[in-house]
Amino acid sequence: MVARRAGIVALVLAVLATAGPPAHAAGPTLTAPPSVAGTAAVGNRVSAGIGTWTSGTTIAYRYQWYRCDGSGAHCSSIHGATAAGYELGAKDVGKSIGLTVTATDSTGASTAYASLVGPIAAAEPLLDSTAQPQVTGVPIAGKPLQVTTGAWSPMPTSVTYAWQRCNANGRICAAIAGATSSSYLVAPDDMGHALVALVQATFGTTTQAALSTATAAAIGNDITGPTHNANPSVSGIAESGSQLTGSAGIWTGIGSVRYAYQWYRCDDSGAHCSSIHGATKSTYHSVAKDVGDTLAFAVRATDSTGTAAAYASLIGPIAAAKAPLTSSVQPALEGSAHPGSSLTANAGTWFPAPGTLTYQWKRCNANGRICVPISGATLGTYKVTTDDVGHSLVAVVSSTSGTTSQAAYSTASPPVA
C-alpha cells in the first residue's frame, strides 16, 4: 500500500509540477499549476499565468510555448516563443497550444505544464472561445467530474461534449468511448491519466471546439488524505514567555487542503506527550509550565480524500524566562539518513554565544518522538547504522557559558531507510 501510494502521488505531482518525485530534491515546489488566458483565435494574444510556487529563495521564471496537434500530441517548441505572452498566428489554426513554465531558485529548476488551449480558430471566426471551459471535481475513481461550457462569442445555440483521456501532463489525448455528457464518472481505467473535455459549440452552420482545463492524474479511491513533501517546522526562542511559530510544511492534495494544528508538552525525551488545552493555532506562547520539557507541534491536513498528519521536530527543553543562556535558532542536521552515511549537527544559534558545546545523539520513533541516547554517540558527527533503520535521529546539543548549561534538540532526520 505504501509503495502504491507513493507511485500515485508521483503521478499527481507529474501533472501539477512535473518536477520529480514527491521528496522534492531541487528547485521550487509547485502548489498550483500554470495557466493560459485569452481568446483562442488567430490574431489574439494569449498570456501565461506562472502558477503558484514556494521556495526559500528568490525564484526566476522561464517560458516556452509549443504547437501541438488537436489531440495534444506531436508537440514542437515554437521558435522564439519564450515570453509570458504569445500572439496566435496562421500556423496555429486547428492546433492546440501548450505552455511550460520553468521555475529556478538557488537549489535548482522545476518545470510545470499548463492545460492545452485550442484548437485555435481562424482569424475573425464566426464563433470563438473567449474563456477556456473548466473541469470541476476531483479525479478519484468513482467520483464525478463536471465541465463548464466556457465563454463564447457569440453565444452558441448548442454545445456537445467529448471526454478525453490524456497522459499525466495533459498531453496526447484520446476520446473515451461513450463519454459525451457534461459530467463524467472517473473510471479505474483513468488512473494515472489526466482528463479533459472537448467542448464543441455550434452557432448556425458554424462549429468550433475548445479543450477544457486538464485534471491532475486520476487516482484510486483508496487514498486517504494529502501527502506532505516538506515537514512542518517550528521557529522561535526556546524560552518561557517567548512565542513559537509553526509552519504547516508543504502538502500535495486533491482539491483544496485545510489545516488544523495542535501543540503538545512532552518530557525531555519527547515522550509522555499531552495536548496543551487551547493551543490549536499555528503560534504558541510558552509558559512557566513548559520549563524543562520539550514542545511538539502537529499538523492535520485534510483534502477531498481524507485527513493525514505530520509532525515538526521537537523543540526544547524550554529554558526559564530570562534564562542566562537560551537557544534562539534550533540546531539542524546535515547529511544523509542511510546506513553507512553520516549526519552532522550544527550548533544552532545561542544567546549569548556559548563557551563550549557537547553532543548526544538519540534514536527516536519515526515521528521524531520518544528518543533514547545512543551509547558512545557524543561527537558532532554520527555515522548511521543498520540499527537506526525505521528511526529518526536527533542530536541534543548542550551549550555551556560560564557555570550555566542549556540543551537544545536538533531538527530530526527523516526515518532511516
Side-chain angles (χ1 to χ4, degrees), residues 130-413:
T130 57
Q132 188 171 20
Q134 304 288 310
V135 173
T136 58
V138 291
I140 299 174
K143 300 286 187 180
L145 300 174
Q146 184 75 34
V147 65
T148 67
T149 59
W152 299 84
S153 178
M155 180 76 72
T157 53
S158 64
V159 175
T160 60
Y161 307 90
W163 288 86
Q164 299 186 0
R165 186 180 292 128
C166 314
N167 69 12
N169 296 327
R171 307 291 186 264
I172 314 176
C173 306
I176 302 172
T180 58
S181 170
S182 62
S183 62
Y184 175 70
L185 195 67
V186 181
D189 288 346
D190 299 322
M191 288 181 61
H193 295 272
L195 298 165
V196 302
L198 185 69
V199 179
Q200 185 159 289
T202 300
F203 180 78
T205 59
T206 301
T207 61
Q208 179 63 44
L211 287 165
S212 73
T213 54
T215 69
I219 62 175
N221 57 12
D222 56 346
I223 300 301
T224 303
T227 299
H228 63 279
N229 309 308
N231 280 328
S233 61
V234 175
S235 61
I237 299 173
E239 178 185 39
S240 175
S242 295
Q243 179 173 283
L244 300 173
T245 301
S247 165
I250 299 173
W251 297 77
T252 298
I254 303 299
S256 61
V257 180
R258 304 181 307 278
Y259 302 103
Y261 309 103
Q262 181 63 61
W263 293 84
Y264 295 84
R265 184 180 295 115
C266 312
D267 66 18
D268 63 0
S269 69
H272 304 105
C273 298
S274 58
S275 60
I276 301 173
H277 181 70
T280 56
K281 297 181 179 179
S282 60
T283 57
Y284 172 68
H285 213 84
S286 59
V287 298
K289 194 173 182 179
D290 300 321
V291 173
D293 287 332
T294 56
L295 294 173
F297 176 67
V299 177
R300 291 174 63 82
T302 302
D303 67 2
S304 58
T305 68
T307 299
Y311 305 87
S313 301
L314 292 168
I315 189 164
I318 303 301
K322 299 181 181 178
L325 181 62
T326 56
S327 169
S328 55
V329 177
Q330 186 173 21
L333 300 185
E334 299 173 356
S336 176
H338 298 282
S341 298
S342 293
L343 292 171
T344 299
N346 66 32
T349 302
W350 297 83
F351 184 80
T356 59
L357 294 170
T358 59
Y359 302 86
Q360 174 62 66
W361 290 84
K362 292 188 175 186
R363 187 179 291 128
C364 314
N365 69 12
N367 295 327
R369 309 289 186 265
I370 314 177
C371 305
V372 296
I374 302 172
S375 178
T378 57
L379 301 176
T381 297
Y382 172 72
K383 189 169 183 178
V384 182
T385 73
T386 54
D387 289 340
D388 301 318
V389 171
H391 295 272
S392 291
L393 298 168
V394 299
V396 179
V397 181
S398 294
S399 171
T400 299
S401 179
T403 59
T404 301
S405 293
Q406 178 64 41
Y409 270 73
S410 73
T411 55
S413 76

